[in-house]
Amino acid sequence: MSTAERTRTLRRRMIVAARRATVTQGLGGFTIEQLCESVGVSRRTFFNHFASKEDVVLGIELHADTELLQAFAAGDVVPSTLDPLSAIVALAVEQVRAMEFDRSEEVLVRTVLDREPALLARFLSATDVQLARVTDAVRTRFGWTAPDDARARLVSESAAALLRVTADHYFDDAFDETTSPPFDELLTTNLRLLRAAITTGQDDTP
Protein backbone atom coordinates (compact mmCIF):
# COMPACT_ATOMS: atom_id res chain seq x y z
CA MET A 1 0.00 0.00 0.00
CA SER A 2 1.38 3.40 -0.99
CA THR A 3 1.71 6.35 1.38
CA ALA A 4 -1.22 8.09 -0.33
CA GLU A 5 -3.39 4.99 0.06
CA ARG A 6 -2.46 4.65 3.73
CA THR A 7 -3.32 8.30 4.27
CA ARG A 8 -6.72 7.89 2.59
CA THR A 9 -7.43 4.78 4.65
CA LEU A 10 -6.54 6.55 7.90
CA ARG A 11 -8.72 9.53 7.04
CA ARG A 12 -11.64 7.27 6.17
CA ARG A 13 -11.30 5.47 9.50
CA MET A 14 -11.42 8.77 11.40
CA ILE A 15 -14.37 10.06 9.38
CA VAL A 16 -16.45 6.91 9.76
CA ALA A 17 -15.69 6.65 13.48
CA ALA A 18 -16.66 10.31 13.99
CA ARG A 19 -19.91 9.90 12.09
CA ARG A 20 -20.90 6.78 13.98
CA ALA A 21 -20.11 8.46 17.30
CA THR A 22 -22.21 11.46 16.28
CA VAL A 23 -25.17 9.26 15.38
CA THR A 24 -25.06 7.39 18.67
CA GLN A 25 -23.90 10.13 21.07
CA GLY A 26 -24.42 13.45 19.35
CA LEU A 27 -21.66 15.85 18.41
CA GLY A 28 -21.23 16.91 22.02
CA GLY A 29 -21.17 13.34 23.30
CA PHE A 30 -17.52 12.63 22.51
CA THR A 31 -14.22 14.51 22.41
CA ILE A 32 -11.47 14.59 19.83
CA GLU A 33 -9.27 12.75 22.31
CA GLN A 34 -11.83 9.95 22.63
CA LEU A 35 -12.17 9.76 18.86
CA CYS A 36 -8.39 9.55 18.46
CA GLU A 37 -8.21 6.80 21.06
CA SER A 38 -10.91 4.77 19.32
CA VAL A 39 -9.09 4.99 15.99
CA GLY A 40 -5.60 4.60 17.47
CA VAL A 41 -4.09 7.93 16.39
CA SER A 42 -2.59 10.88 18.24
CA ARG A 43 -4.22 14.30 18.62
CA ARG A 44 -1.39 15.70 16.49
CA THR A 45 -2.18 13.23 13.72
CA PHE A 46 -5.83 14.23 13.87
CA PHE A 47 -5.03 17.92 13.36
CA ASN A 48 -2.73 17.06 10.47
CA HIS A 49 -5.85 15.97 8.60
CA PHE A 50 -8.82 17.88 10.04
CA ALA A 51 -9.33 21.35 11.47
CA SER A 52 -12.10 20.44 13.92
CA LYS A 53 -14.46 17.76 15.17
CA GLU A 54 -17.18 19.18 12.92
CA ASP A 55 -14.94 18.87 9.89
CA VAL A 56 -14.03 15.24 10.50
CA VAL A 57 -17.72 14.38 10.86
CA LEU A 58 -18.45 16.09 7.53
CA GLY A 59 -15.36 14.64 5.85
CA ILE A 60 -13.80 18.05 5.20
CA GLU A 61 -10.13 17.15 4.97
CA LEU A 62 -7.27 19.62 5.17
CA HIS A 63 -5.53 20.03 1.80
CA ALA A 64 -7.07 16.76 0.61
CA ASP A 65 -7.25 17.74 -3.05
CA THR A 66 -4.71 20.57 -3.22
CA GLU A 67 -2.29 18.60 -5.37
CA LEU A 68 -5.10 17.31 -7.57
CA LEU A 69 -6.40 20.82 -8.29
CA GLN A 70 -2.90 22.14 -8.89
CA ALA A 71 -2.28 19.36 -11.41
CA PHE A 72 -5.66 20.01 -13.05
CA ALA A 73 -4.88 23.73 -13.34
CA ALA A 74 -1.56 22.83 -14.98
CA GLY A 75 -3.36 20.78 -17.63
CA ASP A 76 -2.96 17.31 -16.13
CA VAL A 77 -5.27 14.77 -14.36
CA VAL A 78 -7.77 14.61 -17.25
CA PRO A 79 -7.10 14.64 -21.02
CA SER A 80 -6.06 18.04 -22.35
CA THR A 81 -8.40 17.57 -25.33
CA LEU A 82 -11.51 17.84 -23.16
CA ASP A 83 -13.61 20.99 -23.32
CA PRO A 84 -14.01 22.93 -20.03
CA LEU A 85 -17.30 21.38 -18.89
CA SER A 86 -16.19 17.85 -19.76
CA ALA A 87 -12.89 18.48 -17.99
CA ILE A 88 -14.63 19.49 -14.76
CA VAL A 89 -16.92 16.46 -14.93
CA ALA A 90 -13.90 14.19 -15.44
CA LEU A 91 -12.20 15.91 -12.49
CA ALA A 92 -15.29 15.33 -10.35
CA VAL A 93 -15.19 11.63 -11.21
CA GLU A 94 -11.57 11.50 -10.04
CA GLN A 95 -12.50 13.27 -6.80
CA VAL A 96 -15.43 10.94 -6.11
CA ARG A 97 -13.20 7.91 -6.66
CA ALA A 98 -10.56 9.33 -4.32
CA MET A 99 -13.20 9.98 -1.65
CA GLU A 100 -14.49 6.40 -1.94
CA PHE A 101 -17.95 7.72 -1.11
CA ASP A 102 -20.75 5.21 -1.61
CA ARG A 103 -24.50 5.07 -1.08
CA SER A 104 -24.30 3.38 2.32
CA GLU A 105 -22.08 6.17 3.59
CA GLU A 106 -24.50 8.78 2.23
CA VAL A 107 -27.20 7.27 4.42
CA LEU A 108 -24.89 7.68 7.40
CA VAL A 109 -24.25 11.33 6.50
CA ARG A 110 -27.99 12.01 6.25
CA THR A 111 -28.46 10.43 9.67
CA VAL A 112 -25.70 12.65 11.07
CA LEU A 113 -27.33 15.79 9.65
CA ASP A 114 -30.70 14.73 11.02
CA ARG A 115 -29.09 14.35 14.45
CA GLU A 116 -27.03 17.56 14.18
CA PRO A 117 -28.78 19.93 11.72
CA ALA A 118 -26.43 22.79 12.64
CA LEU A 119 -23.70 20.97 10.72
CA LEU A 120 -25.50 21.71 7.45
CA ALA A 121 -24.37 25.35 7.50
CA ARG A 122 -20.75 24.26 7.84
CA PHE A 123 -21.20 21.75 5.02
CA LEU A 124 -22.68 24.35 2.68
CA SER A 125 -19.91 26.81 3.52
CA ALA A 126 -17.27 24.20 2.74
CA THR A 127 -19.04 23.40 -0.54
CA ASP A 128 -18.89 27.06 -1.56
CA VAL A 129 -15.18 27.20 -0.74
CA GLN A 130 -14.52 24.06 -2.76
CA LEU A 131 -16.44 25.40 -5.74
CA ALA A 132 -14.39 28.59 -5.64
CA ARG A 133 -11.19 26.54 -5.63
CA VAL A 134 -12.35 24.52 -8.62
CA THR A 135 -13.28 27.74 -10.42
CA ASP A 136 -9.78 29.11 -9.83
CA ALA A 137 -8.27 25.90 -11.21
CA VAL A 138 -10.49 26.10 -14.31
CA ARG A 139 -9.55 29.74 -14.78
CA THR A 140 -5.86 28.87 -14.75
CA ARG A 141 -6.18 25.74 -16.91
CA PHE A 142 -8.01 27.53 -19.72
CA GLY A 143 -6.32 30.91 -19.43
CA TRP A 144 -9.45 32.82 -18.46
CA THR A 145 -7.53 35.12 -16.14
CA ALA A 146 -9.02 38.52 -16.97
CA PRO A 147 -10.83 39.96 -13.90
CA ASP A 148 -14.09 40.42 -15.81
CA ASP A 149 -14.03 37.00 -17.53
CA ALA A 150 -16.98 35.04 -16.12
CA ARG A 151 -16.45 31.86 -18.13
CA ALA A 152 -14.69 29.87 -15.40
CA ARG A 153 -17.47 30.52 -12.90
CA LEU A 154 -20.21 29.85 -15.46
CA VAL A 155 -18.69 26.49 -16.36
CA SER A 156 -17.94 25.42 -12.78
CA GLU A 157 -21.42 26.44 -11.56
CA SER A 158 -22.96 24.46 -14.43
CA ALA A 159 -20.87 21.43 -13.47
CA ALA A 160 -21.93 21.82 -9.83
CA ALA A 161 -25.60 21.80 -10.86
CA LEU A 162 -24.99 18.71 -12.99
CA LEU A 163 -23.37 16.98 -10.02
CA ARG A 164 -26.26 17.90 -7.72
CA VAL A 165 -28.86 16.46 -10.09
CA THR A 166 -26.80 13.29 -10.57
CA ALA A 167 -26.24 12.89 -6.82
CA ASP A 168 -29.95 13.37 -6.10
CA HIS A 169 -30.71 10.50 -8.49
CA TYR A 170 -27.88 8.24 -7.38
CA PHE A 171 -28.52 8.63 -3.65
CA ASP A 172 -32.29 8.41 -3.84
CA ASP A 173 -33.71 5.59 -1.73
CA ALA A 174 -35.44 4.12 -4.80
CA PHE A 175 -32.17 3.85 -6.76
CA ASP A 176 -31.30 0.20 -7.49
CA GLU A 177 -27.54 -0.32 -7.66
CA THR A 178 -27.92 -3.81 -9.11
CA THR A 179 -29.68 -2.62 -12.26
CA SER A 180 -28.56 1.00 -12.53
CA PRO A 181 -25.28 2.47 -13.82
CA PRO A 182 -22.48 3.52 -11.47
CA PHE A 183 -22.15 7.18 -10.52
CA ASP A 184 -19.58 8.09 -13.17
CA GLU A 185 -21.67 6.60 -15.98
CA LEU A 186 -24.78 8.34 -14.70
CA LEU A 187 -22.88 11.63 -14.56
CA THR A 188 -21.60 11.16 -18.11
CA THR A 189 -25.12 10.43 -19.35
CA ASN A 190 -26.46 13.54 -17.64
CA LEU A 191 -23.69 15.60 -19.23
CA ARG A 192 -24.79 14.36 -22.65
CA LEU A 193 -28.42 15.17 -21.85
CA LEU A 194 -27.48 18.65 -20.66
CA ARG A 195 -25.58 19.37 -23.86
CA ALA A 196 -28.46 18.08 -25.98
CA ALA A 197 -31.01 20.09 -24.01
CA ILE A 198 -29.00 23.30 -24.42
CA THR A 199 -28.20 22.88 -28.11
CA THR A 200 -31.27 21.15 -29.57
CA GLY A 201 -33.83 20.80 -26.80
CA GLN A 202 -33.76 17.01 -27.07
CA ASP A 203 -31.43 14.03 -26.81
CA ASP A 204 -30.27 13.27 -30.35
CA THR A 205 -27.72 10.64 -29.32
CA PRO A 206 -28.42 7.36 -31.17
Side-chain angles (χ1 to χ4, degrees):
M1 183 182 293
S2 68
T3 299
E5 290 172 332
R6 286 196 296 270
T7 297
R8 284 197 298 270
T9 298
L10 177 61
R11 284 174 170 168
R12 300 313 303 164
R13 286 173 54 209
M14 287 190 281
I15 290 169
V16 172
R19 287 172 176 169
R20 289 175 177 169
T22 301
V23 169
T24 58
Q25 304 171 47
L27 192 61
F30 65 98
T31 65
I32 289 176
E33 289 74 15
Q34 290 170 330
L35 175 64
C36 290
E37 183 178 356
S38 70
V39 180
V41 300
S42 67
R43 180 182 173 90
R44 179 177 180 179
T45 296
F46 175 89
F47 284 108
N48 282 339
H49 298 284
F50 302 98
S52 66
K53 183 165 60 172
E54 291 78 7
D55 281 5
V56 69
V57 171
L58 292 171
I60 302 171
E61 305 169 8
L62 287 172
H63 316 302
D65 58 359
T66 298
E67 292 183 2
L68 182 68
L69 287 179
Q70 288 175 342
F72 177 81
D76 296 328
V77 182
V78 301
S80 59
T81 54
L82 293 178
D83 63 82
L85 185 56
S86 296
I88 299 178
V89 168
L91 174 66
V93 169
E94 291 299 319
Q95 290 175 310
V96 168
R97 288 173 178 168
M99 290 170 59
E100 299 177 355
F101 194 77
D102 58 25
R103 296 185 73 247
S104 62
E105 191 167 350
E106 190 271 345
V107 172
L108 181 58
V109 171
R110 277 192 288 169
T111 305
V112 165
L113 293 176
D114 287 342
R115 176 72 186 259
E116 298 286 349
L119 286 174
L120 182 59
R122 171 61 183 140
F123 176 77
L124 294 176
S125 174
T127 300
D128 288 342
V129 170
Q130 178 67 7
L131 183 58
R133 295 176 65 217
V134 171
T135 301
D136 286 341
V138 171
R139 186 176 292 114
T140 300
R141 182 184 178 101
F142 294 98
W144 297 335
T145 54
D148 59 346
D149 193 334
R151 285 177 292 179
R153 183 175 179 188
L154 288 168
V155 172
S156 60
E157 293 277 3
S158 298
L162 183 63
L163 281 163
R164 282 195 297 272
V165 171
T166 304
D168 284 347
H169 182 187
Y170 184 76
F171 292 118
D172 188 272
D173 291 339
F175 187 85
D176 186 352
E177 287 183 277
T178 62
T179 59
S180 302
F183 184 87
D184 55 347
E185 289 185 18
L186 186 61
L187 182 60
T188 301
T189 297
N190 285 343
L191 173 61
R192 185 201 71 213
L193 292 174
L194 175 62
R195 290 190 187 284
I198 291 173
T199 57
T200 68
Q202 59 185 350
D203 180 11
D204 293 328
T205 303

